[in-house]
Amino acid sequence: MIPKAWRGRRSGFSLLVLAAGLLGALLGASPPAPVRDLDRRAFDLRLSLLPEVPVPLEVVLVLAREETLARMGRWPWPRRYHAALLDRLGEARTVVLDILFPEGGDPEDDALLARAAARHGRVVAAIHLAPGQGKAPPRILPPYDALFRGVADVGVTNVEADEDGVFRYAVPLWPVAGGVAPSLSLAGVSLALGLKPEVEESPRGLILRLGKARLDLDGDRRVWVRFSRVPPRVFEYGDVLEGKVPPEAFRDRIVVVGVAAAGAGDVVTAPNGGGVRSLFGAQFNGETIRTLLGGGTPRWIPPWAAALLGALVASLGAVLALFARPLWAALGFGGLVVLLLGGEQALLASGLWAAPLAGPLTPGVLTFGTGLYLRFRVLHGEERTHRLSVFGILDLVRETRDPKEIPERLASVLAEIRAQDGIEVESPGLSFREVFERTRALGVEEALEGAGKEAVVLETPRDPWRFRMIVPLPEEEETRYLLLRWRRSLPLEQVRSVAALAVAADWFARALTEAKKQKETLYQTVAAMVEAIDAKDPVTAGHSRRVCDLSVELARHLGADERTLEEITFGGIIHDVGKLGIPDAVLGKQGKLTDEEFALIRSHPSVGERILAPVSLPEVAKQAMAEHHEKWNGRGYPRGLKGTEISLAGRIVAVADVYDALASDRPYKKGWPLAEVCDLLYKQSREDFDPDVVQAFWEMKAPEDWVPPDRRPPTENASS
Ligand SMILES: [Fe+2]
């Protein structure tokens, strides 16, 4: 479950999860302004999508709109108009008079209105609260006694906007000096229902009780208004006054009377789905009354619950991102979001609202995203190093044709790692003493002894290279060490990968050095042998070296690769080694050889094979030696091989050998002119020699004016 790369970092990541939790709590409890704004809009939208709640009483509005004002003159009107209106609303269950009468007017009119209110019996009038001095509660502006003597109740008509200036909530009970005063809406509802509102404590917070109805109040004793999709019926003030509306239209209804003209100033911004719209004060009161009648709206969860939810989701997001397999992390986080949305539904059903962004989603997405970023950044880095160490070496060896390049390529990879990850190979192949001197760390001796063949990590906080890894190299005699150093805390796997690379580089370098040494030794041995042959037969001194040189030239001309050239070099040098086994008397004999002596001479290729059998020489070199007296037509010795049965090395050395024998001066003859050698080789081609090798010889060595004998003009032929 937990990624391997996390080992050694778990405490670090646990801290990250803790930090994520704290961040979540902070964001949940006090989200930044943009998140808070989005959450409010989400709340508005969510509320507008809730099903309409049936209300026991219908609310209708009587509004003095522009057209009435145009008809009846400018506001304020004589108060006898309102008195007359109240008489028209006689059938109403309650009249909520959302008009302020802060001071006395025409005494006669005031008396008329007071009497009309008293006659109706169920009129609620508006009072206004003025802000208190300092921390004192707001004051009720002194009511106009003459009027209020006739009303059944009064209520506070103030409304308060949310932080963003939108009016979302109502305050049913306003704190005032000496207690609380009901809002105009609450006063109207309690009068209409004949119930006295009571506030009580419950385990889930404050509750406003109206008979059986219970409304949740939030921490600030507010009720969130639930704006209905179907607006209440509205009647024109003037129409009602003039008797154009039948009295039954108001029967048993709560009637809110107010002014709805732009000039009256009583306008608020209210939510409208996810957006906003303007409402007049009376309309807002109408919505509040319907909310109170319908049993309220969901309440926002308290900040501590939002903090807890934020912390929970943020930590879960971090845990999933950091520790789960990628697929599970994605599924898990998706599931978490679905769970949150489902949880939100369940909360709503129980009358609670959890801001979806601040509480769970923003912190969750933040920590999940950050966790994923951290994880993949780190994992990717480690995967890269890992690839270099395991597959990288294989690829390097496969891709690199010349093994000599391998240590160089490995070194460049190590340099890249040093630049990127800051891990440096201090020096490969140090002795124990050198390691000790370089690290100067206390306890290094004990650490190395205790760890045996294991790598040891030393931490030296005062050194700029805070960490060192000492890796023992596989060695036969004295143990040597590889020393890596790095400055910042890194996962051990990553360092081990680099160590593996460095060990490989060291191994390749040593292997190549030894191979080179071996080859040099061999070459020196062979050269010593050749010198011995020369010493034995001074007449042919230098022959082997010259045959060797010409053979290599011929082979190169025929397109042999470097490796074959190297092998033919050996072959040329050693081709006559077998002569070491032939008695000096026979080798140096002047004059005609007996059959036995001749047989002895002819045995030298086989003798050479026997001499060199225990020496590990390239096969091609041995073939060159064994087959340089075989002939193309099969009449050579020692085996009588024919055509391409003879190795190419054998065929090449054969031509070079004959050329050198003919062209060199000997005590008993002058060296042949080059053209004559060419003639002979040409004539013997297909008999003694491979025509391709002869062709190569001719192309390389023949004088410029030389032409094959059978293509010369007859006259020249005759003269020669
Ligand atoms: Fe020979």
Side-chain angles (χ1 to χ4, degrees):
M1 176 93 176
I2 293 165
K4 233 169 102 181
W6 265 209
R7 265 190 252 135
R9 282 210 190 109
R10 281 178 73 175
S11 56
F13 281 117
S14 303
L15 276 178
L16 276 180
V17 172
L18 194 70
L22 283 175
L23 174 81
L26 198 71
L27 281 174
S30 124
V35 173
R36 218 159 41 215
D37 280 347
L38 282 171
D39 266 341
R40 285 200 198 95
R41 293 297 164 93
F43 178 64
D44 296 341
L45 187 65
R46 197 69 188 81
L47 269 191
S48 75
L49 294 176
L50 287 178
E52 295 275 332
V53 176
V55 290
L57 292 171
E58 193 190 337
V59 178
V60 296
L61 304 178
V62 173
L63 298 178
R65 292 191 285 205
E66 300 285 356
E67 54 171 293
T68 306
L69 288 169
R71 214 153 70 201
M72 296 169 55
R74 286 185 58 204
W75 192 264
W77 293 331
R79 288 175 187 170
R80 60 175 181 278
Y81 288 8
H82 305 314
L85 183 84
L86 286 182
D87 286 340
R88 296 280 185 194
L89 299 174
E91 302 243 356
R93 179 80 156 256
T94 302
V95 177
V96 175
L97 209 49
D98 192 9
I99 300 169
L100 280 172
F101 302 100
E103 65 230 354
D106 178 73
E108 212 171 296
D109 273 15
D110 287 348
L112 270 177
L113 180 52
R115 278 206 296 279
R119 228 180 1 257
H120 190 285
R122 291 177 310 280
V123 175
V124 181
I127 53 173
H128 195 74
L129 294 183
Q133 294 284 320
K135 283 185 178 177
R139 294 173 296 120
I140 302 174
L141 288 180
Y144 182 52
D145 281 352
L147 175 64
F148 288 112
R149 244 179 269 135
V151 298
D153 203 355
V154 293
V156 177
T157 191
N158 299 45
V159 281
E160 263 184 9
D162 210 341
E163 255 180 324
D164 58 350
V166 177
F167 290 75
R168 288 190 181 83
Y169 54 80
V171 181
L173 289 162
W174 289 85
V176 289
V180 289
S183 72
L184 186 62
S185 323
L186 182 61
V189 169
S190 62
L191 181 67
L193 297 175
L195 296 166
K196 193 178 174 325
E198 277 170 44
V199 174
E200 57 185 44
E201 300 259 0
S202 87
R204 56 186 281 172
L206 288 177
I207 281 178
L208 177 70
R209 208 153 60 82
L210 262 174
K212 284 180 186 167
R214 298 153 69 86
L215 285 98
D216 282 317
L217 296 177
D218 69 7
D220 295 323
R221 296 178 165 244
R222 303 179 300 195
V223 169
W224 298 88
V225 178
R226 190 166 182 166
F227 296 89
S228 52
R229 280 191 295 272
V230 187
R233 278 196 291 161
V234 179
F235 298 102
E236 195 61 44
Y237 191 109
D239 292 348
V240 179
L241 196 64
E242 288 166 13
K244 288 180 186 165
V245 183
E248 307 85 67
F250 306 108
R251 184 175 298 154
D252 240 13
R253 296 186 168 119
I254 297 180
V255 181
V256 181
V257 181
V259 188
D266 189 13
V267 179
V268 299
T269 306
N272 183 25
V276 292
R277 61 176 163 168
S278 291
L279 280 186
F280 289 104
Q283 289 174 305
F284 186 79
N285 267 330
E287 298 291 344
T288 308
I289 290 169
R290 280 161 55 136
T291 303
L292 295 175
L293 284 171
T297 44
R299 184 173 47 151
W300 288 57
I301 58 169
W304 65 262
L308 198 67
L309 194 62
L312 188 74
V313 176
S315 339
L316 268 175
V319 166
L320 282 171
L322 292 174
F323 297 116
R325 288 168 197 277
L327 180 68
W328 287 115
L331 286 178
F333 193 70
L336 191 63
V337 171
V338 170
L339 201 71
L340 285 171
L341 295 178
E344 187 230 320
Q345 285 290 341
L347 269 182
L348 262 182
S350 71
L352 282 172
W353 165 259
L357 293 176
L361 285 182
T362 310
V365 169
L366 262 178
T367 56
F368 186 68
T370 312
L372 281 187
Y373 169 76
L374 273 177
R375 174 174 179 165
F376 287 108
R377 205 185 78 112
V378 172
L379 270 189
H380 179 75
E382 274 160 27
E383 209 174 290
R384 189 180 55 80
T385 316
H386 182 72
R387 208 168 45 233
L388 279 177
S389 68
V390 179
F391 302 106
I393 295 175
L394 286 178
D395 285 345
L396 271 179
V397 173
R398 252 202 302 271
E399 284 167 14
T400 313
R401 280 298 167 86
D402 187 354
K404 282 177 209 155
E405 283 175 19
I406 292 177
E408 214 172 284
R409 300 263 316 255
L410 281 171
S412 82
V413 171
L414 283 169
E416 193 194 320
I417 288 172
R418 180 185 169 186
Q420 282 194 5
D421 299 346
I423 305 173
E424 195 169 275
V425 181
E426 232 182 304
S427 181
L430 298 171
S431 68
F432 175 78
R433 188 185 175 76
E434 286 163 325
V435 168
F436 190 78
E437 278 170 3
R438 268 168 197 262
T439 54
R440 292 187 181 280
L442 285 177
V444 62
E445 203 161 352
E446 291 80 355
L448 284 175
E449 274 172 13
K453 285 280 173 188
E454 276 290 297
V456 181
V457 176
L458 293 174
E459 192 173 345
T460 42
R462 280 187 210 158
D463 195 317
W465 297 97
R466 246 183 88 194
F467 303 92
R468 279 192 169 80
M469 183 187 256
I470 304 168
V471 186
L473 294 168
E475 198 76 15
E476 281 170 12
E477 295 158 18
E478 186 205 14
T479 310
R480 294 181 319 124
Y481 299 89
L482 182 77
L483 204 56
L484 301 173
R485 60 183 186 181
W486 63 103
R487 292 171 197 268
R488 61 192 165 88
S489 183
L490 288 171
L492 216 51
E493 273 76 9
Q494 199 171 338
V495 184
R496 277 187 192 281
S497 292
V498 181
L501 266 179
V503 169
D506 178 65
W507 186 86
F508 271 106
R510 276 193 295 140
L512 286 173
T513 313
E514 307 222 321
K516 202 173 157 194
K517 259 191 221 157
Q518 268 184 9
K519 204 177 278 179
E520 273 167 11
T521 312
L522 187 62
Y523 195 83
Q524 279 161 8
T525 312
V526 171
M529 282 179 171
V530 172
E531 268 174 43
I533 306 167
D534 286 355
K536 202 173 155 76
D537 184 5
V539 173
T540 59
H543 169 73
S544 296
R545 184 75 59 186
R546 289 192 300 274
V547 168
C548 166
D549 292 346
L550 181 57
S551 298
V552 170
E553 274 183 76
L554 284 170
R556 185 173 283 127
H557 192 83
L558 285 164
D561 59 21
E562 283 300 314
R563 191 191 170 97
T564 311
L565 288 180
E566 198 169 281
E567 290 166 347
I568 286 181
T569 306
F570 274 109
I573 281 282
I574 62 171
H575 78 281
D576 271 347
V577 152
K579 285 187 178 168
L580 285 174
I582 313 296
D584 292 356
V586 178
L587 272 184
K589 183 175 178 184
Q590 310 278 329
K592 205 168 169 18
L593 295 171
T594 64
D595 284 354
E596 291 77 27
E597 286 166 341
F598 201 67
L600 265 175
I601 293 280
R602 283 165 62 113
S603 72
H604 78 269
S606 321
V607 173
E609 271 190 287
R610 281 205 300 280
I611 292 176
L612 291 179
V615 181
S616 92
L617 271 178
E619 198 52 34
V620 172
K622 288 188 177 178
Q623 283 169 343
M625 176 188 67
E627 296 166 9
H628 75 280
H629 286 293
E630 298 287 355
K631 289 187 173 169
W632 187 253
N633 59 13
R635 292 185 190 160
Y637 62 88
R639 294 196 179 86
L641 300 174
K642 193 176 178 182
T644 51
E645 288 170 1
I646 313 163
S647 68
L648 179 64
R651 285 177 264 151
I652 288 174
V653 174
V655 170
D657 189 27
V658 167
Y659 162 80
D660 189 69
L662 293 178
S664 306
D665 289 337
R666 293 285 151 89
Y668 47 89
K669 70 163 180 85
K670 281 292 281 174
W672 287 26
L674 188 55
E676 282 178 36
V677 181
C678 287
D679 282 357
L680 179 107
L681 286 175
Y682 188 82
K683 281 172 195 157
Q684 295 305 112
S685 140
R686 290 188 186 279
E687 291 298 321
D688 292 353
F689 309 113
D690 177 351
D692 289 343
V693 180
V694 173
Q695 168 93 8
F697 178 85
W698 168 33
E699 283 167 12
M700 284 167 51
K701 290 280 175 192
E704 279 190 11
D705 57 349
W706 184 82
V707 282
D710 53 359
R711 289 183 218 159
R712 287 174 198 156
T715 48
E716 202 181 312
N717 220 3
S719 74
S720 70

